[in-house]
Amino acid sequence: MFYRVDLMKLLLIHSDYIEYEVKDKAIKNPEETDVKSGRLEEALTAFTAVEQIDEKSPKKAVKQAVSEIEKIASQLKIKNIMLYPYAHLSSNLANPKKAQEILIEIEYELKNKHFSVKRSPFGWYKSFKISCKGHPLSELSREIIPGEEETESLKQERKLSSYWYILTENGTLHDVGDFNFKGYENLKKFAFYEKEKSRAIKGEPAHVTLMQKLEIADYEPASDGGNMRFYPKGRFIKKLIEDYVTQRVVEYGGLEVETPIMYDMDHPTLSKYLERFPARQYQIESDKRNFFLRFAACFGQFLMAHDATISYKNLPLKIYELTKYSFRREQSGELTGLRRLRAFTMPDVHAFTSDIKMAMDEFNVRYDLCLSVQKNLGIENDDIEMALRTTKEFYKNNKDFMVALVKKLGKPVLIEMWDERIFYFILKYEFNFIDSSEKASALSTDQIDIENGERYNIKFTDKDGKMKHPLILHCSPSGAIERVIYALLEKEAMKMNKGKKPMLPLWLSPTQIRLIPVGDEFISDCERFIDELNKVSEYQHIRSDIDDREESVSRKIRDAEKEWIPIIIVVGEKEKDSKKFTPRFRSSTISDSDKAYSLEELHKLITTQTKGFPQEKIALPAYLSKRPKFKG
RNA sequence: GCCGCUGUGGCUUAGAGGUAGAGCAGCUGAUUCGUAAUCAGCAGGUCGUGGGUUCAAAUCCCACCAGCGGCUCCA
């Protein structure tokens, strides 16, 4: 995204044959050669233009070009490669001498990988004949982007020096390959998803159908991919989750703030940070300045902390923001439903701590918070697998600390270790949800960051009167809100596959009680019951509505079931007289369906089960006949 | 971003060179109903968008867009 002007360019053609003949000099001092013509059968021809930027990091350019060519060649199962200098692919060519060196280097590397390589001479006009196979993979062009090289190589390094283990509750460290996964099927799926990058071939994600059917969220074709629309019910569910997470973080001591969603790309602190991760942001031009949309809440909070006067007495200092939104320009092919988005809502609480001891103590406090928040959101320990990521050294020195985390979770975890610290954090965990397609997605996470206190020049005055940089913990207690909804829906989809009724938690259900009058004359009784129900307590609101449509009772029940309404009550003569109700409970976890309940009993039933969660009214008409259909 | 598949009223879909057809939802009317679909009628479609081939294109070709699957990626 930054330097798209300067790239090495490759055009790869799978051909029956390629042949060339050297004609005239194209540059002053072309490569000396006796070979005036060449031909190769069943070859991958790589037309290559080496560009200016490649000169700056020739080794990386070579490495990437080789890996790109190798990848395609192995897909096509070809051994013959013709390396063909082709200046016309670029308007920003490298110095010829350097370019020639790079080409020779590529040739050498490819030969090392046991390809049969020919290279046409550099700096000559040549005539050539090529017979292209014409199948879909036969013509490919590639750009080697130097801006991405840094991350690319970083990641390769990371992979090279990553060690994967399973850490059990009793503190035994198993090699992933040797661990017996019996009884830990999801951990196995997760471990292989992470380590081997193996992907199961399954149908489309279950939550996408559900989010549309339940009128929660949908794609918005008029926006960029991964920017969703939320219908009233979806917005309501999302708001409740947002409110709940915020409430828990505030109880923990988080100071809620709000910071801008866009930042100057040339800001000295930010630009350095950005350079490590180019080509992943939305950019906005305003007058002559360029801004990027934030991809996390860190920037605003760190800049705020930078300007604050902080004493050791204030630590740990916890700053919280629920970002609406954070933006990441994920690759288009990577976007799916609510799982992976380009704009998402992220609760993010940072804790500024004085030293590693305080950081680790705080880490523990937040670990409990995260487990509790996730559980209350409806994601149980059985639904998630934990990954711990750290360096070998940190593990060695803090083994007991790690094992204690595992014990709290109550099951083995995946642990990734590096020889040296590669990222800014020294310890990180995430809880990953495994869905029906065996894909793993991170929800809650926390990490101990030992770099950014200094990078952002955040300071606090310590006991000894000296200025020091804090260690910063980055935590999202729930993960992206959209992703929480995704996990809840996927979880219910898995239930449906087992023949069970799906349901959202009672506190999240937009409608908690649906009243179905047997006939028009009972509509006013339904209204009365709703009034009485909410007169029981002025602080606790029960979300109820009335299906006043001109439909049969069975039809209304069917529709209520399709909407996952937790409690359905038919109202007729009997109820009018007795004021006793025999509800249909969607799940036996709410209550028994056979018994009769008074309004007070129903009120109590719901309020005890939604205690501690946000109690909101929903902005939808109480009468179903007044509601538009947003989908279907 | 790359490779492949898909794209027909709000939804689910039939049609495979020759006048776009259905079910659901919507509207109107009848029915006033006790635990998963009451009946009838009406209206609704530039066949994802833009080009091209053809006497004729939803249908064949090209490009683009979107969704899905895979690759890659996931700070």
Side-chain angles (χ1 to χ4, degrees):
Chain A
M1 185 167 273
F2 292 154
Y3 307 107
R4 286 269 150 126
V5 218
D6 308 303
L7 326 159
M8 182 191 288
K9 294 233 170 59
L10 288 175
L11 176 64
L12 302 171
I13 303 223
H14 184 200
S15 50
D16 298 314
Y17 69 89
I18 161 88
E19 64 178 33
Y20 67 84
E21 203 175 322
V22 173
K23 300 286 188 190
D24 299 316
K25 283 183 185 182
I27 56 175
K28 256 188 203 167
N29 298 306
E31 183 177 5
E32 286 178 28
T33 176
D34 301 330
V35 189
K36 295 290 177 205
S37 67
R39 181 181 165 103
L40 205 53
E41 310 287 334
E42 289 299 320
L44 181 68
T45 303
F47 292 100
T48 311
V50 182
E51 306 193 289
Q52 278 176 7
I53 196 75
D54 299 316
E55 294 178 25
K56 290 182 194 158
S57 45
K59 278 187 184 160
K60 283 172 187 162
V62 169
K63 197 171 158 190
Q64 275 198 283
V66 168
S67 95
E68 208 50 60
I69 293 171
E70 191 188 358
K71 198 167 92 189
I72 303 302
S74 68
Q75 272 178 30
L76 297 169
K77 299 187 175 60
I78 310 183
K79 283 273 120 188
N80 297 338
I81 292 168
M82 174 67 82
L83 208 51
Y84 200 110
Y86 201 68
H88 319 290
L89 289 173
S90 167
S91 52
N92 225 326
L93 289 166
N95 160 306
K97 212 171 165 186
K98 287 272 166 63
Q100 198 179 320
E101 281 169 22
I102 285 177
L103 280 163
I104 291 171
E105 205 49 42
I106 293 175
E107 181 189 10
Y108 175 79
E109 288 294 329
L110 284 171
K111 279 182 176 160
N112 261 350
K113 294 184 184 278
H114 307 293
F115 286 104
S116 161
V117 187
K118 281 192 179 175
R119 186 171 57 80
S120 65
F122 189 92
W124 298 89
Y125 289 115
K126 300 174 281 282
S127 67
F128 70 88
K129 270 191 198 165
I130 185 163
S131 161
C132 175
K133 294 259 188 201
H135 61 80
L137 264 176
S138 65
E139 296 167 86
L140 299 169
S141 67
R142 287 286 186 278
E143 299 172 329
I144 308 289
I145 302 162
E148 284 175 358
E149 272 183 41
E150 207 59 49
T151 36
E152 201 58 43
S153 59
L154 257 174
K155 267 163 209 148
Q156 295 212 348
E157 262 176 56
R158 175 187 164 183
K159 271 169 204 157
L160 283 177
S161 57
S162 263
Y163 303 90
W164 299 88
Y165 305 97
I166 301 291
L167 182 60
T168 60
E169 287 170 83
N170 62 20
T172 325
L173 198 61
H174 301 261
D175 208 89
V176 167
D178 302 337
F179 185 71
N180 180 4
F181 282 102
K182 200 156 186 200
Y184 304 109
E185 300 310 319
N186 272 347
L187 181 61
K188 185 178 178 182
K189 286 173 193 165
F190 176 50
F192 283 89
Y193 186 85
E194 276 290 313
K195 187 176 161 276
E196 305 290 333
K197 303 286 177 195
S198 79
R199 303 298 141 95
I201 301 156
K202 291 276 163 69
E204 72 178 51
H207 79 279
V208 174
T209 322
L210 292 177
M211 75 185 191
Q212 293 169 334
K213 281 229 165 85
L214 295 173
E215 296 193 322
I216 290 174
D218 214 339
Y219 298 109
E220 174 50 74
S223 183
D224 190 21
N227 287 257
M228 310 300 279
R229 60 158 74 137
F230 280 80
Y231 298 117
K233 286 179 208 161
R235 171 59 208 142
F236 181 75
I237 291 167
K238 183 161 173 272
K239 181 168 76 172
L240 287 186
I241 299 174
E242 289 167 7
D243 288 353
Y244 180 67
V245 175
T246 300
Q247 174 191 319
R248 292 296 306 271
V249 175
V250 169
E251 282 164 14
Y252 152 73
L255 311 177
E256 190 177 8
V257 299
E258 187 170 320
T259 62
I261 65 164
M262 64 176 87
Y263 295 89
D264 192 331
M265 302 202 67
D266 295 325
H267 186 283
T269 315
L270 304 180
S271 61
K272 254 191 266 167
Y273 197 49
L274 272 180
E275 271 167 27
R276 277 183 70 188
F277 310 107
R280 302 302 295 277
Q281 292 87 40
Y282 281 111
Q283 280 186 45
I284 287 183
E285 216 182 286
S286 174
D287 288 336
K288 279 176 190 160
R289 296 168 76 187
N290 282 314
F291 298 89
F292 68 93
L293 297 185
R294 64 173 172 201
F295 46 86
C298 305
F299 313 104
Q301 294 186 20
F302 291 178
L303 294 166
M304 192 182 274
H306 168 266
D307 294 336
T309 308
I310 305 170
S311 148
Y312 74 95
K313 292 175 189 164
N314 307 139
L315 304 183
L317 171 65
K318 306 139 192 173
I319 300 186
Y320 169 72
E321 180 168 11
L322 184 85
T323 65
K324 230 161 88 185
Y325 297 98
S326 286
F327 297 89
R328 296 185 191 181
R329 263 196 50 88
E330 306 291 6
Q331 297 180 94
S332 59
E334 196 45 45
L335 306 167
T336 9
L338 294 172
R339 188 169 93 91
R340 200 74 187 278
L341 299 168
R342 280 183 173 168
F344 53 93
T345 308
M346 191 67 140
D348 211 340
V349 55
H350 292 92
F352 300 84
T353 60
S354 55
D355 52 33
I356 190 68
K357 172 152 191 324
M358 187 191 272
M360 286 166 71
D361 287 348
E362 198 58 25
F363 193 88
N364 262 326
V365 172
R366 293 147 66 97
Y367 184 77
D368 294 345
L369 173 71
C370 291
L371 273 176
S372 160
V373 166
Q374 263 183 185
K375 182 163 183 272
N376 288 332
L377 287 174
I379 296 156
E380 315 270 344
N381 277 18
D382 282 352
D383 305 321
I384 50 172
E385 298 301 333
M386 180 164 105
L388 270 172
R389 300 173 204 267
T390 188
T391 59
K392 285 200 153 173
E393 198 194 343
F394 191 85
Y395 177 80
K396 208 177 76 192
N397 297 335
N398 301 284
K399 193 179 167 188
D400 292 346
F401 179 82
M402 310 266 200
V403 174
L405 296 176
V406 179
K407 273 191 184 146
K408 258 184 203 166
L409 183 72
K411 58 180 186 177
V413 311
L414 179 70
I415 173 160
E416 179 184 16
M417 284 186 225
W418 307 295
D419 286 324
E420 288 166 43
R421 185 169 61 82
I422 293 154
F423 294 120
Y424 54 77
F425 56 84
I426 195 166
L427 173 65
K428 175 186 182 179
Y429 78 78
E430 326 109 31
F431 293 121
N432 287 271
F433 178 82
I434 317 291
D435 69 17
S436 52
S437 324
E438 303 193 358
K439 285 184 198 289
S441 304
L443 290 167
S444 172
T445 173
D446 201 357
Q447 48 190 250
I448 302 177
D449 169 356
I450 61 174
E451 265 183 17
N452 282 308
E454 192 174 343
R455 173 174 285 133
Y456 282 80
N457 197 20
I458 300 166
K459 287 172 293 197
F460 69 96
T461 315
D462 210 346
K463 273 184 193 159
D464 54 14
K466 288 189 180 138
M467 295 295 234
K468 291 179 187 166
H469 298 299
L471 301 181
I472 306 173
L473 278 66
H474 302 234
C475 168
S476 182
S478 62
I481 305 294
E482 293 84 351
R483 193 171 271 186
V484 171
I485 300 176
Y486 141 82
L488 290 175
L489 292 178
E490 284 288 333
K491 198 180 154 177
E492 295 313 303
M494 287 187 253
K495 261 203 211 160
M496 287 162 84
N497 287 338
K498 291 182 191 151
K500 290 183 190 160
K501 276 188 186 179
M503 193 183 115
L504 288 173
L506 196 56
W507 71 277
L508 273 181
S509 298
T511 298
Q512 290 165 329
I513 301 183
R514 160 93 22 105
L515 296 175
I516 297 179
V518 171
D520 281 355
E521 67 271 29
F522 298 106
I523 292 180
S524 57
D525 296 300
C526 291
E527 287 169 20
R528 191 159 50 87
F529 292 145
I530 288 183
D531 275 355
E532 286 179 28
L533 196 56
N534 281 315
K535 265 188 201 140
V536 176
S537 160
E538 60 181 302
Y539 302 109
Q540 282 164 316
H541 180 75
I542 309 284
R543 291 186 296 270
S544 30
D545 53 26
I546 304 168
D547 193 343
D548 62 329
R549 297 172 306 159
E550 288 189 40
E551 299 287 352
S552 69
V553 172
S554 357
R555 174 50 186 270
K556 290 177 185 174
I557 286 171
R558 180 183 149 82
D559 288 346
E561 294 278 2
K562 278 166 64 181
E563 227 184 301
W564 299 7
I565 307 287
I567 303 171
I568 302 168
I569 296 176
V570 176
V571 175
E573 202 64 46
K574 260 191 308 184
E575 288 75 14
K576 185 180 178 178
D577 299 338
S578 68
K579 287 182 84 175
K580 286 278 185 181
F581 306 88
T582 43
R584 244 178 190 251
F585 293 110
R586 191 158 183 83
S587 155
S588 57
T589 58
I590 307 175
S591 196
D592 300 328
S593 283
D594 304 331
K595 286 196 285 185
Y597 295 80
S598 67
L599 286 173
E600 286 75 17
E601 286 168 328
L602 281 168
H603 187 277
K604 199 175 164 199
L605 202 64
I606 294 175
T607 49
T608 48
Q609 287 180 46
T610 56
K611 205 176 162 197
F613 292 105
Q615 316 271 331
E616 292 273 333
K617 295 181 183 176
I618 187 166
L620 270 176
Y623 301 101
L624 260 67
S625 67
K626 303 281 185 206
R627 294 184 189 172
K629 263 195 179 346
F630 286 97
K631 188 81 178 179

